Amino acid sequence: MIHLLDCKVLSNDEVAPGHRRLVLDGKAIAEDTCAGQFCMLESSPGLQPFLRRPMSIERFGGDSFSVLYKIVGEGTRLLGRIQPGDTVNVQGPLGNGFSIPKEFKRYILVGGGIGIAPLPGLAQALIRETGTPPEVILAARSRDILLCQEDFTRMNCPVFLVTDDGSAGMHGFASNALEARKPDKNTLVYTCGPMIMMGAVHRICMENGSRCQASLEANMACGDGVCMGCVVETTLQEEFRRMVRVCHEGPVFDSRDIRWNTGTPAHD
Ligand SMILES: Cc1cc2nc3c(=O)[nH]c(=O)nc-3n(C[C@H](O)[C@H](O)[C@H](O)COP(=O)(O)OP(=O)(O)OC[C@H]3O[C@@H](n4cnc5c(N)ncnc54)[C@H](O)[C@@H]3O)c2cc1C
Ligand code: FES
């Protein structure tokens, strides 16, 4: 069920340069969320900025939920100024979330930059559903913006770091780290991050016979399937599924269904 709630801010702390975690009191949203869903946040009361901002729900449970965000523009800059005790209006949970099929032997999470946000909640769900902590590939430009490492370690997930500049873990990209983990046909990969990274992760999965669920980002106005502002192109043949709404049919898709423009065949 989708809720529209005034949520009290419990904390809004900096977790890395330019990155914050907003913890909100909102029992109804916390109870009804599944991993990979998102919410639309009003970044300040009133009409400026007019549009809500979509954010993954990072962790949820009990009476509260959290959002991990990167400050990139006006809306997130305003979010960064919010103080404990303030109120934020939130619509959610929205979108489909990740699915957890049980037939796989390995589950690997690949998060790039702020794309890591929906993955701690997914790790928690995978542990609950499969009994085993998933492997996690944490990718970032540099060491200081590797996010959530301690959260995954606390859940006993094997964590593999990879940075563009080599300042922590493997020197390279998320897709290099995934290739090194040797995924196979018994592996399900979950990924969230920049489109170019997810396209490369999809390619590694296709080359190794693995399956992949990708959580996409798009500019959103309504967040609820009405404005058609968030459509992406698919590889599907049916007329009504050639374009899909990230907010409504997604944000999580079988990576074979998305046209990545990487030259990789989508379906086998
Ligand atoms: C499903 C989903 C989940 C996401 N999860 C996260 C997350 O967990 N953490 C995170 O940091 N980011 C997340 N994002 C990205 C996040 O939504 C953007 O970074 C955020 O909206 C940036 O807002 P801004 O105002 O700071 O940036 P801006 O660049 O100022 O605005 C963001 C977008 O809003 C639109 N916009 C702004 N102003 C106007 C206007 N006047 N008219 C029309 N359009 C306008 C633009 O299209 C722009 O691209 C997610 C996005 C999606 C779709
Ligand atoms: S944001 Fe309006 S349809 Fe997706």
Side-chain angles (χ1 to χ4, degrees), residues 129-168:
E129 296 292 322
T130 68
T132 311
E135 295 161 60
V136 178
I137 293 171
L138 253 182
R141 290 222 165 103
S142 59
R143 171 189 206 99
D144 57 335
I145 47 172
L146 278 167
L147 304 170
C148 300
Q149 187 180 351
E150 280 173 19
D151 303 70
F152 292 115
T153 307
R154 223 177 291 126
M155 287 188 267
N156 295 321
C157 300
V159 179
F160 305 94
L161 306 180
V162 53
T163 47
D164 295 8
D165 65 0
S167 52

Side-chain angles (χ1 to χ4, degrees), residues 6 9 12 50 100 136 165 187 220 257 264:
D6 278 329
V9 175
N12 188 24
F50 183 66
I100 304 185
V136 178
D165 65 0
T187 307
M220 291 185 178
D257 294 346
T264 313

Side-chain angles (χ1 to χ4, degrees), residues 40 219-231 245-248:
M40 295 291 281
N219 290 338
M220 291 185 178
C222 73
D224 203 12
V226 179
C227 71
M228 302 292 162
C230 64
V231 291
R245 293 161 295 184
V246 172
C247 70
H248 198 69

Side-chain angles (χ1 to χ4, degrees), residues 41-94:
L41 292 177
E42 230 176 47
S43 43
S44 75
L47 295 178
Q48 201 56 262
F50 183 66
L51 299 173
R52 290 165 183 268
R53 300 300 193 245
M55 292 287 163
S56 300
I57 298 176
E58 185 206 12
R59 299 293 286 264
F60 45 92
D63 292 344
S64 64
F65 62 96
S66 63
V67 163
L68 187 65
Y69 64 97
K70 178 179 178 181
I71 297 174
V72 295
E74 189 195 1
T76 45
R77 204 167 41 246
L78 288 167
L79 278 181
R81 292 193 197 141
I82 289 172
Q83 298 295 320
D86 289 351
T87 297
V88 176
N89 190 271
V90 187
Q91 182 188 11
L94 296 160

